[in-house]
């Protein structure tokens, strides 16, 4: 920022991962990276760990390679993500939808530590499974736990637990006729424009989409949460990408 350029300084990966830059056609000075994997998906017994540190005043937009498949599992799989945002930094991540196959069990633990003047945007889209193969909510368990800390103080916690074999996800008061659900979280600390105007703009984007059910909630601190139900992963993914770009561009 301020005439400087954000770039990848250090990267340590093990198979099946690699990290590549994807911002060659961007005119700004921010960092755009993609996490790539040679694995077709997450298998039983896998334990993925991500640790990301965004240095002071740097801006990083991370991308995923493709849909994340959770294969049939005899046991379970886990994923842990630790993100540290130093003063004045930004981290945006809108990954592709997750496709939990029949009998998959998956737990994702996410912790984000933010300093002053930071902005964070992350999302997740959960599909019903391999819908066109007749697998609709046949996975065993999907658990996503998300915590945001500001200077060591917990400011946001989101906990999603789906167990379709124990709770009918298509029942009244649950997802009902919808098969896909998405959550997008935007959180900012001091020095970033307030969320009310952003919430109105995000709501306008939701209203432009057909055949979805969604809404925006403002957080107690500076930020917002978007919840969306729909019938297709690609529609929700494109919607979240549009929301990401709207906020990314507004905040400079």
């Amino acid at each position: 920022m301020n005439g400087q350029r954000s770039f990848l300084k250090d990267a340590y990966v093990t198979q099946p991962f690699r990290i590549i830059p994807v911002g060659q056609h961007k005119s700004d000075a921010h960092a755009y990276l993609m996490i790539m994997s040679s694995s077709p998906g997450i298998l039983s017994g896998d334990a993925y760990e991500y640790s990301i540190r965004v240095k002071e005043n740097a801006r990083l937009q991370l991308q995923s390679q493709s849909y994340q498949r959770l294969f049939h599992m005899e046991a379970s799989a886990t994923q842990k993500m630790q993100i540290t945002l130093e003063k004045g930094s930004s981290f945006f991540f809108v990954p592709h939808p997750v496709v939990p196959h029949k009998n998959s069990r998956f737990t994702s633990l996410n912790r984000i530590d933010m300093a002053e003047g930071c902005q964070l945007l992350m999302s997740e889209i959960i599909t019903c499974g391999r819908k066109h193969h007749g697998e609709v909510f046949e996975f065993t368990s999907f658990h996503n736990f998300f915590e945001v800390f500001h200077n060591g103080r917990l400011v946001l916690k989101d906990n999603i637990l789906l167990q379709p074999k124990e709770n009918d996800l298509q029942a009244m008061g649950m997802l009902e006729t919808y098969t896909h659900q998405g959550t997008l979280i935007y959180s900012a600390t001091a020095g970033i424009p307030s969320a009310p105007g952003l919430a109105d703009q995000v709501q306008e984007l939701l209203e432009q989409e057909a055949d979805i059910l969604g809404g925006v909630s403002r957080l107690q601190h500076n930020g917002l949460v978007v919840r969306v139900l729909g019938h297709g992963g690609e529609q929700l993914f494109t919607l979240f990408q549009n929301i990401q770009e709207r906020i990314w561009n507004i905040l400079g």
Side-chain angles (χ1 to χ4, degrees):
M1 300 182 70
N2 300 323
Q4 299 180 353
R5 176 173 294 275
S6 300
F7 60 94
L8 178 63
K9 181 179 180 182
D10 297 304
Y12 305 93
V13 298
T14 57
Q15 291 294 334
F17 296 111
R18 60 181 297 207
I19 302 171
I20 64 169
V22 291
Q24 295 90 336
H25 301 294
K26 299 288 186 178
S27 59
D28 56 49
H30 310 315
Y32 298 86
L33 303 174
M34 177 181 288
I35 297 178
M36 300 187 68
S37 173
S38 58
S39 172
I42 295 180
L43 306 172
S44 182
D46 281 352
Y48 285 7
E49 293 189 14
Y50 302 88
S51 179
I52 300 169
R53 177 178 290 272
V54 186
K55 302 293 284 186
E56 185 173 341
N57 293 328
R59 295 191 67 190
L60 169 61
Q61 189 175 120
L62 188 64
Q63 301 175 23
S64 62
Q65 177 183 7
S66 61
Y67 279 57
Q68 180 65 278
R69 296 190 175 275
L70 310 177
F71 287 109
H72 174 97
M73 299 178 186
E74 296 296 333
S76 62
T78 61
Q79 176 175 291
K80 295 181 180 179
M81 178 175 284
Q82 169 70 56
I83 301 167
T84 302
L85 302 182
E86 296 186 6
K87 183 179 179 181
S89 64
S90 303
F91 178 76
F92 282 43
F93 185 33
V94 175
H96 285 77
V98 178
V99 183
H101 289 206
K102 184 176 181 179
N103 295 328
S104 62
R105 299 177 180 87
F106 181 70
T107 299
S108 177
L109 305 174
N110 306 275
R111 173 173 174 139
I112 298 90
D113 287 280
M114 305 175 69
E116 296 296 329
C118 297
Q119 53 181 313
L120 165 78
L121 185 146
M122 291 182 66
S123 70
E124 179 178 65
I125 299 169
I126 309 167
T127 74
C128 61
R130 296 187 297 176
K131 187 175 182 179
H132 298 296
H133 288 74
E135 291 184 11
V136 178
F137 298 123
E138 293 192 8
F139 57 91
T140 300
S141 176
F142 182 94
H143 188 194
N144 183 61
F145 190 68
F146 187 91
E147 290 182 313
V148 178
F149 292 82
H150 176 208
N151 291 332
R153 176 176 174 267
L154 180 65
V155 294
L156 174 63
K157 179 184 290 186
D158 190 57
N159 191 13
I160 295 178
L161 176 61
L162 302 178
Q163 297 175 308
K165 296 181 180 180
E166 298 184 20
N167 302 285
D168 185 2
L169 298 183
Q170 295 181 296
M172 183 72 70
M174 300 294 283
L175 303 186
E176 299 184 3
T177 61
Y178 295 98
T179 54
H180 296 59
Q181 70 167 4
T183 300
L184 182 144
I185 294 174
Y186 168 71
S187 178
T189 54
I192 301 298
S194 58
L198 295 179
D200 292 338
Q201 294 191 42
V202 171
Q203 185 62 44
E204 291 178 2
L205 291 175
L206 294 180
E207 292 173 355
Q208 295 172 11
E209 294 292 326
D211 204 22
I212 68 167
L213 179 65
V216 184
S217 299
R218 288 170 52 188
L219 300 175
Q220 183 176 0
H221 68 288
N222 191 14
L224 53 86
V225 174
V226 182
R227 304 280 194 190
V228 184
L229 299 178
H231 298 283
E234 200 64 28
Q235 181 187 19
L236 299 190
F237 179 57
T238 301
L239 171 63
F240 282 179
Q241 285 184 311
N242 291 337
I243 294 174
Q244 171 182 244
E245 288 306 302
R246 178 69 62 92
I247 298 177
W248 181 265
N249 293 331
I250 288 176
L251 300 177

